[in-house]
Amino acid sequence: MTKRPAEILASIAAPLGLAAEKLASGDLVIASPIDGGRLAALQSAAPGEVDAAVARAETAFRAWRAVPAPRRGELVRRLGEVLRRKKTELGTLVSLETGKILQEGLGEVQEMIDICDFAVGLSRQLYGRTIATERAQHRMMETWHPLGVCGVISAFNFPVAVWSWNAALALVCGDPVVWKPSEKTPLTALATQALVRRAMRRFGDAPEGLSELLIGGREVGEMLVDDPRVAVLSATGSTAMGRAVGPRLAARFARAILELGGNNAAIVAPSADLDVALRAVAFAAMGTAGQRCTTLRRLFVHDEAYDRLLARLTQVYASVQVGDPRAAEVLVGPLIDRAAFEGMQRALGEVRSAGATVFGGERIDIGGAEAFYVRPALCAVPQQTGPVLRETFAPILYVMRYSDLDDAIRLHNAVGAGLSSSIFTQDMREAERFMSATGSDCGIANVNIGPSGAEIGGAFGGEKETGGGREAGSDAWKAYMRRATNTINYGAELPLAQGVRFDI
């Protein structure tokens, strides 16, 4: 008999540093989407605790900014080592708390390890430039300095990876981190914080307050957003959340890194390798039960390939294994909660009313009354209207025909979000056009690979209603630092810029 999620949590809590007494004495009840059963009850942070956490982080900043960057990288290296040792336990907890299949939970922890490796190398590459100056015997250069306290607000679907994308870079850049995880998935955050503290002890002289954690709902996040001591805030969530957060940060001139919604699309051209396209589309649309910001939601298929691909997709959707995400043969686990299920059903009702043919989408009786397993939905829609134009955080794929690439690209770009995109083609001109300035308007544009599954070596983020923020990649570290331009006069004269004369 399969153990209940709560029983598995009890077996991995101690290795992850989770104290049993702290998991059962609070106002915030955490349930596992696997069976709807209670995992824990945590105490939400009070306003005074939020203030104290930010104050500790601000004090830590004054010490940490003076530590050489390669030394700061050593702390992140040690964190990566701790994560390697506890990958199985933390990945299991991710699965229990989010409903992801176990391999995806382990993959998320691997992303944490990867960004630690990336950040350690970065700690020796925080380069400034030497600038050509018009004045003789002068030198100009730019230098980069730690910015201040970094706030992180993360979403339920990637409960630890998104924090790590920010925290690893912020720490090597000299910034302490204050984290407010989703109220739906705070257990993974508690476990991660315990592992961070373990790494800090092994590091030896990390200041108290360098990594802070705040458990709670929206009101806790709002306090973090509004605190003038938080110099940069990274927020991951819906576009609606970003519309609330962005103006509040702008009002106090704080720096924002916004990672918001994604209504991602792919184009399947006549020359596409349909075997490659089928596999990529299926994973991108159904992986994580459609609860990725990079989930494939819209698919434009050329007339020449439409019938063949739709027939094969219909077979895949009918046969894909949906069930307990801990089972090895399962590819699609549950939705996070009832609200997600109801949102999916509303979208399917709308699209049916607009003339779509819907395959799947029904609830599957697994796990109990408060566990929401669904058959992924494949919708053949006549046009891009209604729910097709917005993101529904569930496994719904809208499939549409096209006959002209210009029209497909226009429809591809005709939504608010601009996160990730793909084209499947063996025509070099089509591929290059899609990646050009007149092609996809997204932050991520791929060829012959789906829109999901980004690597930390490339900048992650998007345009338009996706918020414009970037995490990881070649220069994302600059968001966590401030730039100073320096001019040094090593001569005996004082020439002024632009040839100005000022004799005294």
Side-chain angles (χ1 to χ4, degrees):
M1 181 177 178
T2 303
K3 290 184 178 180
R4 294 173 54 247
E7 294 175 306
I8 297 176
L9 172 61
S11 69
I12 62 175
L16 287 172
L18 296 175
E21 64 273 12
K22 291 186 177 181
L23 301 182
S25 59
D27 59 297
L28 183 62
V29 176
I30 314 303
S32 173
I34 293 174
D35 65 353
R38 173 169 162 159
L39 286 174
L42 306 180
Q43 186 62 50
S44 297
E49 292 173 299
V50 176
D51 179 75
V54 177
R56 287 192 297 270
E58 186 181 38
T59 300
F61 172 65
R62 289 195 284 271
W64 192 240
R65 65 184 176 182
V67 175
R71 174 65 179 157
R72 299 193 296 250
E74 174 63 12
L75 171 59
V76 177
R77 187 187 70 81
R78 290 181 178 271
L79 174 59
E81 288 181 344
V82 172
L83 289 169
R84 280 182 170 86
R85 284 193 287 271
K86 297 301 177 184
K87 177 179 175 179
T88 299
E89 293 88 347
L90 186 56
T92 299
L93 183 55
V94 169
S95 180
L96 296 179
E97 199 171 31
T98 67
K100 289 183 179 183
I101 62 173
L102 179 57
Q103 193 56 49
E104 287 193 77
L106 296 171
E108 181 167 351
V109 181
Q110 186 60 50
E111 286 190 34
M112 302 174 77
I113 295 166
D114 292 345
I115 195 65
C116 286
D117 287 348
F118 181 86
V120 171
L122 182 66
S123 69
R124 294 181 182 271
Q125 300 179 75
L126 303 176
Y127 298 133
R129 297 182 180 221
T130 297
I131 304 165
T133 173
E134 65 190 53
R135 287 170 284 187
Q137 296 186 309
H138 281 60
R139 180 164 64 89
M140 289 180 66
M141 64 180 186
E142 64 179 22
T143 50
W144 291 87
H145 304 294
L147 181 62
V149 176
C150 173
V152 177
I153 297 176
S154 58
F156 78 85
N157 58 329
F158 280 85
V160 288
V162 169
W163 168 84
S164 70
W165 297 347
N166 287 278
L169 269 62
L171 289 171
V172 300
C173 288
D175 302 340
V177 179
V178 182
W179 181 15
K180 206 296 282 186
S182 168
E183 57 270 33
K184 296 179 181 181
T185 53
L187 291 174
T188 44
L190 279 173
T192 299
Q193 177 70 354
L195 298 179
V196 171
R197 292 193 173 279
R198 198 171 297 178
M200 289 172 64
R201 288 193 297 271
R202 291 174 179 172
F203 176 76
D205 56 354
E208 183 68 22
L210 192 58
S211 178
E212 292 286 338
L213 179 64
L214 297 169
I215 301 297
R218 177 172 177 165
E219 65 285 353
V220 174
E222 288 176 343
M223 284 184 276
L224 194 59
V225 168
D226 293 337
D227 197 306
R229 296 167 294 183
V230 178
V232 55
L233 185 126
S234 173
T236 301
S238 68
T239 296
M241 182 270 281
R243 286 198 174 99
V245 168
R248 295 170 80 145
L249 293 172
R252 63 180 185 83
F253 302 104
R255 197 173 294 180
I257 303 172
L258 299 179
E259 299 287 359
L260 309 175
N263 191 358
N264 313 293
I267 296 172
V268 179
S271 67
D273 182 326
L274 293 189
D275 290 335
V276 171
L278 180 69
R279 183 177 176 85
V281 166
F283 172 72
M286 293 188 283
T288 324
Q291 297 173 119
R292 288 176 176 240
C293 53
T294 54
T295 290
L296 178 61
R297 309 199 182 280
R298 298 174 296 134
L299 183 65
F300 299 98
V301 186
H302 193 273
D303 289 328
E304 293 181 17
Y306 182 89
D307 290 334
R308 286 178 291 148
L309 184 60
L310 184 60
R312 294 179 68 181
L313 275 173
T314 302
Q315 291 178 337
V316 170
Y317 270 65
S319 62
V320 68
Q321 289 291 316
V322 180
D324 189 319
R326 296 168 294 174
E329 70 278 6
V330 167
L331 294 178
V332 179
L335 295 171
I336 188 69
D337 57 20
R338 180 183 295 275
F341 171 74
E342 292 174 348
M344 179 181 182
Q345 298 310 306
R346 284 193 299 270
L348 292 178
E350 282 187 65
V351 79
R352 284 191 183 97
S353 298
T357 301
V358 178
F359 304 92
E362 70 276 9
R363 187 176 179 186
I364 301 174
D365 186 15
I366 301 173
E370 293 304 314
F372 295 89
Y373 293 80
V374 294
R375 171 83 34 205
L378 183 64
C379 306
V381 299
Q383 57 187 342
Q384 185 169 252
T385 59
V388 186
L389 293 169
R390 64 178 187 266
E391 179 184 49
T392 299
F393 224 54
I396 303 175
L397 179 63
Y398 304 108
V399 187
M400 293 158 278
R401 292 178 178 268
Y402 83 92
S403 56
D404 179 78
L405 183 60
D406 286 343
D407 288 339
I409 290 175
R410 177 181 56 79
L411 291 168
H412 175 285
N413 294 345
V415 296
L419 178 51
S420 192
S421 59
S422 300
I423 189 170
F424 293 88
T425 181
Q426 297 185 76
D427 185 322
M428 181 186 73
R429 289 177 175 175
E430 289 183 330
E432 292 292 339
R433 167 71 196 288
F434 184 75
M435 293 186 292
S436 75
T438 61
S440 168
D441 63 359
C442 295
I444 299 170
N446 296 333
V447 176
N448 294 330
I449 187 173
S452 61
E455 295 183 34
I456 56 88
F460 182 88
E463 302 302 324
K464 303 189 296 186
E465 292 181 1
T466 302
R470 293 295 188 277
E471 291 158 337
S474 60
D475 65 350
W477 60 270
K478 293 179 179 179
Y480 306 92
M481 304 194 82
R482 61 179 178 86
R483 173 166 42 191
T485 301
N486 313 123
T487 304
I488 303 99
N489 177 1
Y490 57 89
E493 304 295 329
L494 187 67
L496 302 178
Q498 291 84 45
V500 172
R501 297 181 62 87
F502 189 77
D503 296 326
I504 55 173

